[in-house]
Amino acid sequence: MRITDNTRVKLSELGDNPLREIANSPLREIADVPLEKLAKNNPNLLVPPANWKEHGDAIPNTPIFSLSANGELTTGNIMGFIGVGDTTLTIASRFHSDKSDYFLHYMLGKVNKINVVNLDTRHGSEGIRDFLPYLFPAYLKKALSQGIYRRYATAEYNDANIKGPIDLPRHIRVNVPFAGRVAYRAREHQADNSVTQLIRHTIEHLKSSSFASAALCSDADTKANVQKVIAYTPRYAKAERRRVVGENLRPVSHPYFTEYRPLQALCLQILRHEKLTFGDKDKVHGLLFDGAWLWEEYLNEVLKTKIEALGLELRHPKNKTGEGGEHLFIDGQTIYPDFRIVERGRSGKTLVVADAKYKKYKDRAAREDYYPEDYYQVITYMHRYDCKTGVILFPFPSDSGDIYSRERVVKNAAQKDCVVELGLRIPRAGDFVGFVGFRNEMEKAEGEVAEALRQALPPPYASISISRKSLPGMANPSASNAALVSLAVSRARDSGISSRMLASASSNVCPSEKHESSSGQTTV
């Protein structure tokens, strides 16, 4: 069964779609059940990030899907897959029409710093396992931050360094005639145990896949963590995999090593991807993501290096963990704008505030009152940080191949304060061939959004050279450059730049763009 997020459908209108039978399937028992309750009672249900319980967000109380009495099925921001026994429901992103789920793969790769270069996604439940390797580096890092997992175990020795009770029957059996060695047992706090062996088997399994092995080389920390696990598991043997999996069917229960429980569940899912069920086949299992969280973290990874290249800093307060918030009023009320572009140094002046929204905007652009709370929120941030530009960043499935940008000027503002709706172009089916083509189109779209954000900055940052190659999605580069120049000149005039300087800058690029460097860059 398959559906997209933030969708409402009537089951009676689905015809031959298998989703019509969801009300009569085992999935009916998880409808309208809060995610917190499901995850607590079903360790095989993974909801990244691993520390989501610390976020204090609304996700734990959000149902995966709702099913009304009149047969209406409703989904929210939750994406991924959920299953009960052999019945599985896939919830895809509504911003990508192709069933390949390339958009979800691409965002997960960016957030987890995995360079996905070759992806052959299978349809349905057979392709679900492709998502699991993205999570392994983060879960492993979180677990190893508590140290290597150790547990007491009885080990048998036969040497001259007696550290425990003598095993007399074994001693007589192996040490006659006596040669100076003694057979004995010792109870030790061992790092080479069933849990670390499970992690080691998962590592070796991921190494065997050209796609999944990229997760083990995502960064220096992941490489070091993998080597650490290998060093602590010298007794690894591939033939013991079935036994190791069986010994880990009971979840880790330790007052200190709490982060090993989600890692253990993930390893079991990776190693047992054929059925993704353990023990009782009727239990809930799966892998779910909050679309809003994933979109926000994806934008952070994409924009951070591009903003830093301008000599600025992209600050990303995290409202879910309470990091980076500031007071709106003198006496309190903390706010967390998703992004702030600030100047480096002691001033730390905020130039632009931006908010990430996992919503559709262009479809309702004609209605000025649509999502009014989003505009109120951004304008509040602008007033708090004394900046003239606020940006709403949202995914935009483009039919024309162009970036979506709409500037809305605040009426009666003392200066030209504006809110910019900026849509990151999501390639549509037919615009690309395979995952490599999709990735190339996404990288072009990211360049377009970075350029648009640059032009939203006040001088001198908006006057930095603009490369035509960074605007590949625009149908008319000359017209696009002229529009960007016009916007930059307008913002410069608002900031008090002299008319002579404006005229000089404009004559260099408009209307014929005659001032062009050998590298193909036009100076604004």
Side-chain angles (χ1 to χ4, degrees):
M1 300 182 187
R2 184 182 181 90
I3 194 173
T4 57
D5 60 16
N6 290 275
T7 299
R8 178 178 296 174
V9 295
K10 285 191 175 182
L11 300 182
S12 59
E13 300 174 357
L14 292 178
D16 297 332
N17 192 320
L19 189 64
R20 182 173 184 173
E21 301 301 322
I22 191 172
N24 301 319
S25 73
L27 290 168
R28 179 66 180 88
E29 66 183 64
I30 64 173
D32 300 291
V33 178
L35 187 55
E36 179 182 22
K37 183 177 180 180
L38 284 175
K40 182 179 180 180
N41 298 331
N42 300 277
N44 298 321
L45 178 61
L46 303 179
V47 188
N51 59 340
W52 62 271
K53 292 181 181 179
E54 302 172 6
H55 288 178
D57 198 44
I59 302 173
N61 294 320
T62 302
I64 300 169
F65 64 91
S66 300
L67 196 58
S68 65
N70 62 353
E72 191 173 68
L73 178 65
T74 305
T75 59
N77 275 343
I78 303 298
M79 295 186 294
F81 76 99
I82 182 77
V84 180
D86 295 329
T87 306
T88 302
L89 174 66
T90 299
I91 306 176
S93 172
R94 68 190 188 279
F95 293 104
H96 187 50
S97 58
D98 197 307
K99 291 184 178 181
S100 61
D101 293 322
Y102 286 155
F103 184 43
L104 181 55
H105 274 284
Y106 186 78
M107 287 196 295
L108 286 172
K110 284 286 188 179
V111 170
N112 292 283
K113 299 179 176 61
I114 299 175
N115 184 24
V116 184
V117 296
N118 185 19
L119 179 63
D120 181 19
T121 306
R122 293 162 291 281
H123 298 324
S125 59
E126 292 300 318
I128 295 302
R129 65 183 183 184
D130 291 336
F131 294 119
L132 299 175
Y134 294 112
L135 310 180
F136 185 76
Y139 277 56
L140 179 62
K141 182 177 181 180
K142 192 73 175 178
L144 289 181
S145 67
Q146 297 180 331
I148 195 71
Y149 182 85
R150 298 177 184 270
R151 64 167 46 154
Y152 281 102
T154 301
E156 294 183 344
Y157 293 95
N158 186 34
D159 54 42
N161 303 316
I162 303 176
K163 297 181 291 185
I166 297 176
D167 187 348
L168 190 57
R170 186 164 58 92
H171 176 72
I172 295 174
R173 187 173 65 252
V174 300
N175 291 324
V176 176
F178 183 67
R181 292 178 294 184
V182 177
Y184 64 94
R185 293 188 299 269
R187 186 167 176 78
E188 299 175 338
H189 211 201
Q190 293 183 349
D192 193 358
N193 51 64
S194 61
V195 175
T196 54
Q197 281 290 335
L198 179 70
I199 301 171
R200 174 68 182 277
H201 279 273
T202 305
I203 291 172
E204 299 301 329
H205 174 75
L206 293 177
K207 283 182 178 180
S208 65
S209 168
S210 58
F211 160 68
S213 60
L216 304 179
C217 306
S218 56
D219 55 33
D221 288 341
T222 301
K223 293 179 182 178
N225 291 335
V226 168
Q227 291 302 317
K228 186 176 183 178
V229 172
I230 293 175
Y232 276 105
T233 52
R235 294 183 294 178
Y236 165 78
K238 184 177 180 179
E240 297 291 321
R241 183 163 298 175
R242 182 179 294 274
R243 179 187 62 81
V244 170
V245 169
E247 292 177 351
N248 281 274
L249 295 182
R250 178 176 295 180
V252 171
S253 179
H254 196 284
Y256 177 72
F257 293 111
T258 55
E259 297 297 338
Y260 277 85
R261 182 164 182 164
L263 176 60
Q264 180 192 40
L266 175 62
C267 291
L268 286 172
Q269 294 234 24
I270 292 174
L271 294 177
R272 294 286 304 276
H273 57 73
E274 295 86 3
K275 294 183 180 179
L276 289 176
T277 56
F278 319 107
D280 186 356
K281 66 178 182 180
D282 295 328
K283 285 191 175 180
V284 178
H285 55 272
L287 175 64
L288 300 171
F289 306 91
D290 172 33
W293 168 81
L294 188 60
W295 172 248
E296 183 179 324
E297 296 303 314
Y298 159 72
L299 289 175
N300 182 54
E301 291 298 326
V302 167
L303 299 176
K304 183 165 53 178
T305 55
K306 299 181 184 298
I307 296 301
E308 289 176 351
L310 297 175
L312 301 173
E313 180 183 353
L314 182 69
R315 294 185 182 175
H316 176 40
K318 298 184 178 181
N319 59 315
K320 297 180 180 181
T321 57
E323 300 176 19
E326 295 188 16
H327 287 166
L328 175 62
F329 302 106
I330 295 177
D331 59 350
Q333 189 164 339
T334 307
I335 57 174
Y336 300 90
D338 290 339
F339 303 104
R340 286 196 296 132
I341 302 177
V342 303
E343 290 183 323
R344 294 186 182 276
R346 298 179 62 181
S347 67
K349 177 178 174 56
T350 299
L351 304 177
V352 172
V353 292
D355 218 48
K357 299 297 181 183
Y358 188 68
K359 301 177 181 179
K360 287 186 176 180
Y361 273 81
K362 187 184 179 184
D363 292 348
R364 303 297 182 96
R367 290 182 54 182
E368 296 183 0
D369 60 340
Y370 196 63
Y371 301 140
E373 66 278 3
D374 294 347
Y375 298 100
Y376 302 156
Q377 182 182 26
V378 171
I379 292 172
T380 299
Y381 293 157
M382 293 165 57
H383 184 73
R384 162 60 178 82
Y385 293 104
D386 193 23
C387 62
K388 299 196 301 177
T389 305
V391 179
I392 296 176
L393 294 162
F394 60 95
F396 170 51
S398 173
D399 293 322
S400 63
D402 293 339
I403 186 175
Y404 177 79
S405 180
R406 180 183 182 218
E407 183 177 292
R408 308 191 67 183
V409 179
V410 180
K411 188 175 181 179
N412 295 331
Q415 296 177 322
K416 188 181 177 182
D417 297 352
C418 66
V419 177
V420 180
E421 297 174 1
L422 190 55
L424 191 149
R425 180 172 56 87
I426 310 299
R428 304 296 294 265
D431 296 340
F432 57 89
V433 177
F435 180 76
V436 174
F438 180 84
R439 183 193 63 191
N440 293 339
E441 289 297 319
M442 286 296 296
E443 290 175 351
K444 292 178 183 178
E446 292 163 3
E448 295 166 5
V449 168
E451 278 299 315
L453 277 177
R454 181 185 304 201
Q455 293 305 311
L457 294 169
Y461 303 104
S463 301
I464 298 176
S465 298
I466 303 173
S467 173
R468 291 180 182 177
K469 295 180 181 179
S470 64
L471 298 170
M474 295 189 176
N476 187 342
S478 298
S480 300
N481 279 353
L484 292 172
V485 169
S486 177
L487 178 60
V489 170
S490 174
R491 295 192 181 283
R493 183 180 293 110
D494 292 337
S495 300
I497 304 297
S498 67
S499 300
R500 185 173 63 181
M501 293 177 64
L502 290 174
S504 175
S506 300
S507 64
N508 285 334
V509 293
C510 294
S512 60
E513 297 185 342
K514 59 185 178 181
H515 182 69
E516 187 172 301
S517 67
S518 59
S519 63
Q521 290 186 329
T522 304
T523 303
V524 180

